[in-house]
Amino acid sequence: MDRILNLYDGLYRQYGPQRWWPGETQYEIVIGAVLTQNTAWSNVEKAINNLKSAKALDPNTIIGMHEDRLKALIRPSGFYNQKAERLRLITDWYSENSGNAGSMDRMELRNQLLEIKGIGRETADSIALYGFNKPIFVVDAYTRRFCSHYNLLDKGDYDDYRLLFEDAIGLKAKVFNEYHALIVAWGKENK
DNA sequence: GGCCAGGTGTAAA
DNA sequence: TTTACACATGGC
């Protein structure tokens, strides 16, 4: 049995199902994916709660909102100048494409997202997997640490890590979803 | 008070 | 192609 599958079983037994992404709606997942860029999730929660309290967590409101207003609401998540712009761009895309993104090929969706300024590989893959249920494995800082710890891969490009898991598991969105979340749970216990 | 967190774009070597 | 740096807040 492949070691990657074996480690998955171990994590699952230890931590149980994680029920990711921590967000209720598809749009909230998209917003959260941007806000969490190099940022602690606790700070992202504050920003999302601000948006909810302001009844601003929907595409039309975000697009129509004054830039300074948006920056103030997302301020706790840090990098708020950049992120306000990134939220606007991803929201423009979302308004246009959320309807048919679900029927896109996984790589077609990924490539569309990567064309958006401020949406890099991890953010694109998080949106594709957790927002649209596409089988793309998400690589983050925890994933690299996990791979290094278990000697799966030490230095590599983002896609080297992604393919390592995709090749071992097969294109299974449900497993990708759970595995990534479990790696984060593992990572928070192993600092 | 310093370090770090579920990255990304840009510029320079 | 690789490396360095800016971007910012809140928790410990």
Side-chain angles (χ1 to χ4, degrees):
Chain A
M1 184 167 182
D2 190 284
R3 181 118 179 288
I4 289 190
L5 298 178
N6 228 323
L7 287 166
Y8 174 75
D9 289 339
L11 288 174
Y12 192 89
R13 275 196 295 274
Q14 182 172 1
Y15 299 106
Q18 300 297 302
R19 306 172 194 290
W20 267 36
W21 181 281
E24 288 144 23
T25 67
Q26 184 179 59
Y27 184 62
E28 184 177 336
I29 293 169
V30 171
I31 294 306
V34 171
L35 292 179
T36 197
Q37 290 172 351
N38 200 42
T39 300
W41 183 256
S42 58
N43 284 357
V44 177
E45 282 184 318
K46 296 178 196 305
I48 288 179
N49 286 335
N50 285 346
L51 292 170
K52 284 182 176 171
S53 299
K55 303 212 180 297
L57 194 50
D58 69 88
N60 289 336
T61 307
I62 295 285
I63 288 176
M65 189 163 33
H66 193 282
E67 185 184 339
D68 289 338
R69 167 81 167 142
L70 180 58
K71 287 181 181 179
L73 290 171
I74 67 171
R75 182 186 162 96
S77 75
F79 303 124
Y80 53 83
N81 290 305
Q82 296 181 1
K83 285 177 178 175
E85 168 74 357
R86 292 174 184 184
L87 288 186
R88 198 176 58 69
L89 292 173
I90 192 66
T91 302
D92 283 342
W93 173 87
Y94 188 82
S95 296
E96 278 299 307
N97 299 286
S98 67
N100 62 313
S103 60
M104 285 182 200
D105 171 81
R106 71 185 187 116
M107 284 302 151
E108 184 187 353
L109 174 58
R110 183 179 208 248
N111 290 330
Q112 268 201 23
L113 291 168
L114 287 176
E115 286 177 12
I116 302 167
K117 183 178 173 187
I119 306 300
R121 289 170 295 189
E122 182 186 335
T123 308
D125 292 347
S126 295
I127 291 170
L129 177 63
Y130 291 105
F132 292 94
N133 201 34
K134 300 294 181 185
I136 303 182
F137 199 89
V138 177
V139 176
D140 64 357
Y142 289 129
T143 312
R144 294 169 195 274
R145 226 183 298 160
F146 180 80
C147 287
S148 176
H149 181 83
Y150 287 106
N151 291 310
L152 297 169
L153 180 59
D154 206 345
K155 290 236 182 263
D157 194 8
Y158 180 96
D159 284 328
D160 295 331
Y161 287 92
R162 180 173 63 82
L163 292 170
L164 179 70
F165 287 88
E166 293 186 354
D167 290 344
I169 298 165
L171 300 181
K172 301 175 182 175
K174 185 79 195 328
V175 180
F176 289 177
N177 178 322
E178 199 61 60
Y179 207 151
H180 176 73
L182 285 166
I183 287 174
V184 174
W186 172 88
K188 292 187 174 179
E189 276 201 357
N190 296 272
K191 308 207 177 182

